[in-house]
């Protein structure tokens, strides 16, 4: 049981709730703070002009709302903004969105009634997820459209998804004996005004990006191993001279993965301590290609970027991202822009660019394995059948190349792609939701390229018959992956094998760098 409201949520909390299905409960003192904040607003709002309570919204804030119509305003806000489009977000992303919204509301600065907290808790525990379309948010005034679809379910309308099936909300609420929330004073604006959708999507992006980076380190290590690279390029002595923690961490993990490998060569044994007459032209390369030799320098900044993004998103998810802020401690209501998603948008763009670079590294390593003129050790396309008659991994390379090209194209930063909206009231916006959604696509593409690379590594190991000389770590994962995709010499249909490996590596955490 994870208690919400006792302290800040962590990335591990999100993983345990969303991936492992751990239940949540609300700290009683946190619920009391929410109730106190609600009652303060209820009392404070009399005879005062407060945005979104007794005024219109956005450019229509100059219009006063009669007291008898203020509840109608909140319902109108939710229903009118339930206008999203595109495919529904996968349930996992919806659950993180709900958790992110719950975490923001539990800060007790939104003026909402405690029943909102309790219904969100029940929906999360019962795995009942609002149907939320992908498109609609511009990331300022938060994720208004996506969160309106969440709020729509809380008032008992719209659709929910349970166990993969979409149903009308009233049907599921009746089945589980759930009661929709009442609108008291600002449950509409308090629910839809914030960064919780972009942050929720971003949280899953970070979980998947960290895991994909781990697989990239493993793949990079295994390639260096099977082609008998020298060990100094991932040595502590070399990498510690560059003061970047990510580079040092990646090099350290490569050292651990390859510690007992019988294939990795020590440069002094082969080039420094050998006093025999050397030939004019060396048969073996003195240094490996950059895609093998510069792994710590390429993946290191990606690790640093992901770690930075995690700090920012965890700060965001444990913050109040609402407007106005209901401050019962200072007996005031503050109007501002905490809903603006620039922090999330910028970090998602940085992660997106980083994972695109990771996919580019995987594609270059793949090309190295497939090109016999580069590696000098393997048949063309790691073809274990009859050259000419069979084609090996040739077709899969096209998929990897085209997928990386798409990543390169869609890595244009959304952070600097503001388009004014809302009759120019929202004259500069973050596009944070789009940034998170496109990052999600880039990461998914990265897993596809990684799956193709890993299958190729397995084929290369089988060709070289070097299984017994692999490090124990490499050998373990060789066996795991070989159980999914047996060695093939004839030309099989590959797309099912690629998908199987992609799904496997997405769902299995290596935990190399946590």
């Amino acid at each position: 049981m994870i208690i919400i409201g006792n302290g800040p949520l962590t990335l591990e909390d999100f993983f345990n709730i969303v991936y492992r299905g751990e239940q949540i409960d609300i700290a009683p003192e946190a619920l009391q703070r929410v109730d106190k904040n609600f009652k303060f607003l209820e009392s404070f709002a009399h005879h005062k002009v407060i945005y979104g309570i007794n005024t219109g919204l956005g450019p229509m804030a100059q219009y006063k709302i009669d007291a008898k119509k203020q509840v109608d305003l909140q319902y109108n806000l939710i229903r009118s903004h339930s206008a999203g489009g595109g495919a529904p977000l996968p349930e996992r992303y919806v659950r993180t969105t709900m958790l992110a919204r719950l975490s923001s509301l539990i800060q007790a600065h939104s003026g909402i009634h405690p029943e909102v907290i309790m219904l969100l808790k029940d929906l999360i525990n019962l795995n009942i997820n609002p149907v939320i379309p992908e498109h609609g948010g511009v990331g300022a005034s938060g994720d208004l459209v996506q969160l309106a679809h969440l709020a729509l379910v809380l008032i008992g309308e719209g659709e929910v998804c349970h166990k993969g099936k979409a149903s009308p909300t009233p049907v599921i609420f009746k089945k589980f004996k759930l009661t929709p929330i009442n609108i008291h004073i600002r449950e509409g604006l308090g629910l839809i005004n914030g960064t919780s959708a972009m942050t929720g999507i971003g949280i899953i992006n970070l979980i998947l990006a960290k895991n994909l980076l781990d697989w990239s380190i493993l793949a990079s290590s295994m390639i260096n191993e099977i082609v008998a690279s020298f060990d100094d390029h991932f040595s502590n002595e070399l990498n510690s001279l560059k003061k970047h923690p990510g580079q040092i961490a990646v090099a350290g993990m490569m050292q651990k993965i390859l510690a007992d490998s019988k294939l990795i060569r020590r440069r002094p044994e082969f080039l420094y301590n050998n006093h025999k007459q050397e030939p004019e032209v060396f048969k073996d390369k003195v240094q490996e290609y950059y895609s093998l030799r510069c792994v710590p320098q390429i993946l290191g900044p990606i690790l640093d970027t992901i770690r930075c993004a995690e700090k920012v998103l965890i700060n965001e998810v444990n913050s109040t991202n609402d407007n106005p802020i209901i401050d019962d401690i200072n007996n005031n209501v503050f109007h501002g822009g905490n809903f603006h998603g620039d922090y999330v948008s910028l970090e998602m763009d940085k992660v997106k660019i980083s994972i695109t670079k990771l996919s580019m590294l995987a594609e270059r390593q793949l090309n190295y394995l497939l090109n016999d003129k580069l590696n000098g050790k393997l048949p063309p396309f790691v073809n274990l059948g009859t050259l000419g008659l069979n084609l090996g991994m040739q077709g899969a390379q096209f998929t990897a190349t085209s997928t990386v090209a798409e990543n390169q194209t869609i890595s244009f930063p959304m952070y600097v792609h503001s388009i004014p909206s809302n009759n120019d009231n929202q004259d500069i916006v973050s596009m944070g939701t789009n940034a998170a959604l496109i990052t999600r696509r880039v990461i998914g593409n990265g897993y596809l390229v990684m799956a193709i690379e890993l299958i190729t590594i397995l084929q290369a190991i089988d060709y070289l018959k070097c299984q017994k000389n692999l490090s124990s770590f490499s050998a373990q994962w060789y066996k795991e992956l070989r159980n999914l995709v047996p060695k093939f010499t004839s030309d099989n249909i590959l797309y099912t094998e690629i998908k199987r490996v992609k799904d496997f590596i997405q769902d299995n955490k290596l935990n190399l760098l946590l």
Side-chain angles (χ1 to χ4, degrees):
M1 181 75 70
I2 294 174
I3 306 300
I4 308 294
N6 267 349
L9 285 173
T10 66
L11 197 68
E12 193 65 19
D13 289 331
F14 275 89
F15 179 81
N16 288 333
I17 294 165
V18 174
Y19 282 80
R20 293 179 176 164
E22 287 202 21
Q23 298 284 282
I24 65 170
D25 203 354
I26 308 299
E29 59 273 21
L31 201 61
Q32 290 168 10
R33 289 194 299 269
V34 171
D35 187 51
K36 180 173 177 282
N37 186 256
F38 164 74
K39 288 174 179 174
F40 162 75
L41 177 62
E42 197 174 37
S43 171
F44 183 84
H46 289 300
H47 309 300
K48 295 181 181 69
V49 176
I50 300 177
Y51 173 78
I53 291 177
N54 50 21
T55 76
L57 285 304
M60 295 185 288
Q62 306 311 114
Y63 294 91
K64 185 178 179 181
I65 305 300
D66 184 84
K68 296 179 180 178
K69 297 291 185 182
Q70 288 173 14
V71 168
D72 291 339
L73 173 67
Q74 301 300 312
Y75 280 111
N76 292 345
L77 181 60
I78 293 170
R79 290 166 179 155
S80 68
H81 282 68
S82 296
L89 279 174
E91 290 186 72
R92 192 171 278 173
Y93 294 84
V94 175
R95 286 173 64 71
T96 51
T97 295
M98 286 195 288
L99 267 172
R101 198 71 206 133
L102 177 58
S103 182
S104 176
L105 296 175
I106 209 74
Q107 309 303 317
H109 291 296
S110 298
I112 53 94
H113 193 278
E115 65 181 330
V116 175
I117 301 294
M118 299 311 293
L119 183 54
L120 271 172
K121 181 204 76 168
D122 290 341
L123 292 176
I124 291 166
N125 283 340
L126 292 168
N127 203 8
I128 298 170
N129 304 299
V131 174
I132 300 178
E134 284 186 341
H135 297 304
V138 297
S141 277
D143 305 306
L144 291 172
V145 170
Q146 281 93 345
L147 293 180
H149 284 270
L150 167 57
L152 193 66
V153 167
L154 295 179
I155 63 173
E157 301 176 17
E159 290 182 293
V160 295
C161 200
H162 181 63
K163 294 184 177 179
K165 180 183 177 183
S167 304
T169 300
V171 172
I172 298 298
F173 272 31
K174 183 178 180 181
K175 178 180 179 181
F176 288 93
K177 299 179 181 178
L178 297 170
T179 302
I181 64 167
N182 295 300
I183 296 294
H184 298 273
I185 188 165
R186 75 179 300 267
E187 280 72 23
L189 186 59
L191 280 167
I192 78 170
N193 202 2
T195 60
S196 301
M198 67 177 82
T199 308
I201 298 165
I203 291 287
I204 297 290
N205 286 345
L206 290 181
I207 291 170
L208 291 174
K210 289 176 78 171
N211 191 46
L212 180 59
L213 176 58
D214 281 352
W215 283 104
S216 182
I217 294 169
L218 176 60
S220 300
S221 300
M222 292 178 77
I223 290 175
N224 272 284
E225 187 173 17
I226 62 180
V227 300
S229 293
F230 291 110
D231 68 343
D232 48 351
H233 63 81
F234 55 87
S235 67
N236 184 61
E237 292 82 358
L238 182 140
N239 286 280
S240 64
L241 299 178
K242 206 107 180 258
K243 305 303 180 183
H244 299 298
Q247 176 178 335
I248 294 168
V250 170
M253 187 47 58
M254 293 181 72
Q255 293 163 32
K256 290 180 181 179
I257 291 171
L258 299 172
D260 58 352
S261 172
K262 298 181 180 67
L263 296 170
I264 290 292
R265 294 185 292 171
R266 280 68 186 169
R267 190 175 295 272
E269 296 175 17
F270 288 87
L271 294 180
Y272 295 169
N273 301 333
N274 187 345
H275 302 294
K276 294 179 181 179
Q277 185 69 32
E278 297 291 355
E280 291 295 321
V281 179
F282 297 107
K283 182 178 179 181
D284 287 338
K285 284 194 173 294
V286 177
Q287 297 188 113
E288 291 77 19
Y289 288 101
Y290 284 13
S291 60
L292 278 69
R293 178 168 29 119
C294 301
V295 170
Q297 293 82 359
I298 295 169
L299 296 184
I302 297 174
L303 172 58
D304 285 337
T305 298
I306 292 172
R307 284 174 169 174
C308 177
E310 180 179 345
K311 289 179 182 177
V312 171
L313 264 68
I314 291 302
N315 281 340
E316 186 74 26
V317 86
N318 290 293
S319 301
T320 300
N321 43 79
D322 204 340
N323 180 58
I325 299 298
I326 314 304
D327 189 349
D328 59 274
I329 297 172
N330 294 298
N331 295 317
N332 209 339
V333 172
F334 295 95
H335 293 68
N338 276 5
F339 52 66
H340 218 280
D342 271 41
Y343 272 105
V344 178
S345 182
L346 180 57
E347 295 307 314
M348 286 295 98
D349 277 349
K350 287 155 64 177
V351 171
K352 174 175 63 181
I353 292 167
S354 297
I355 297 301
T356 292
K357 188 61 178 281
L358 183 153
S359 70
M360 292 164 61
L361 174 66
E363 188 276 333
R364 287 293 83 199
Q365 291 173 341
L366 174 66
N367 184 70
Y368 172 80
L369 291 175
L370 298 180
N371 190 332
D372 59 305
K373 296 177 181 62
L374 290 179
N375 61 65
K377 296 175 181 290
L378 300 166
F381 304 108
V382 197
N383 184 350
L384 305 190
T386 303
L387 295 182
L389 175 64
N390 298 114
L391 296 145
M393 295 295 293
Q394 181 175 331
Q397 184 179 21
F398 292 124
T399 299
T401 303
S402 66
T403 303
V404 171
E406 180 179 84
N407 274 2
Q408 291 171 318
T409 298
I410 63 179
S411 285
F412 180 90
M414 291 302 302
Y415 179 68
V416 294
H417 207 169
S418 174
I419 298 176
S421 187
N422 197 224
N423 283 7
D424 282 325
N425 171 54
Q426 297 183 18
D427 58 348
I428 182 165
V429 298
S430 73
M431 293 295 177
T433 324
N434 282 351
L437 287 167
I438 296 172
T439 301
R440 172 184 165 235
R441 183 174 182 86
V442 165
I443 293 169
N445 285 346
Y447 273 98
L448 175 59
V449 178
M450 184 58 58
I452 294 169
E453 180 181 15
L454 287 168
I455 293 172
T456 306
I457 290 171
L458 301 180
Q459 291 291 100
I461 290 171
D462 285 332
Y463 176 81
L464 296 169
K465 296 182 173 61
C466 60
Q467 292 90 333
K468 292 182 180 179
N469 292 323
L470 294 172
S471 73
S472 54
F473 198 92
S474 297
Q476 172 196 341
W477 286 105
Y478 166 81
K479 291 176 184 175
E480 290 271 0
L481 294 168
R482 259 298 171 239
N483 286 334
L484 295 175
V485 182
K487 172 185 174 182
F488 56 90
T489 56
S490 59
D491 291 326
N492 300 328
I493 298 171
L494 283 177
Y495 74 91
T496 53
E497 318 283 30
I498 294 168
K499 184 179 185 304
R500 191 179 303 120
V501 174
K502 180 189 174 187
D503 292 344
F504 176 85
I505 62 177
Q506 279 189 162
D507 292 337
N508 285 269
K509 292 177 70 175
L510 289 177
N511 291 326
L512 299 181
L513 291 164
L514 285 178

